């Protein structure tokens, strides 16, 4: 069995909150069978990550997938 968690409009949150939220759920559920569906503007989320990490962004995991509207 797998838990599916849906998060919508993450791109509307403050950049530091968005990144902290993603890091937190990654660590909390790292060993659990969980799928996250995150509804957001990918470019805004990348901009938030650049705001937190600079241009040296961590590599995306292999299971990172995007679906364009």
């Amino acid at each position: 069995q797998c838990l599916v968690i849906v998060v919508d409009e993450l791109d509307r949150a403050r950049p530091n909150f968005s990144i902290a939220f993603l890091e937190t759920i990654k660590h909390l559920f790292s060993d659990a069978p969980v799928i996250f569906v995150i509804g957001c503007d990918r470019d805004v989320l990348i901009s938030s990550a650049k705001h937190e990490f600079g241009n040296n962004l961590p590599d995306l995991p292999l299971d990172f997938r995007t679906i364009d509207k």
Side-chain angles (χ1 to χ4, degrees):
Q1 291 183 349
C2 183
L3 175 65
V4 177
I5 297 175
V6 179
V7 179
D8 195 14
E9 298 191 9
L10 189 59
D11 53 333
R12 293 178 181 242
R14 292 182 324 275
N16 60 335
F17 176 84
S18 298
I19 300 306
F21 177 79
L22 291 173
E23 289 179 323
T24 300
I25 62 174
K26 177 185 171 197
H27 293 296
L28 283 175
F29 297 103
S30 62
D31 294 329
V34 178
I35 295 173
F36 293 95
V37 177
I38 300 176
C40 69
D41 183 320
R42 185 175 188 268
D43 293 334
V44 172
L45 192 58
I46 289 173
S47 178
S48 295
K50 285 181 179 178
H51 179 341
E52 287 294 306
F53 299 111
N55 286 327
N56 299 323
L57 295 178
D59 291 334
L60 295 175
L62 294 176
D63 58 348
F64 181 84
R65 304 280 188 267
T66 63
I67 300 172
D68 293 328
K69 291 183 194 180

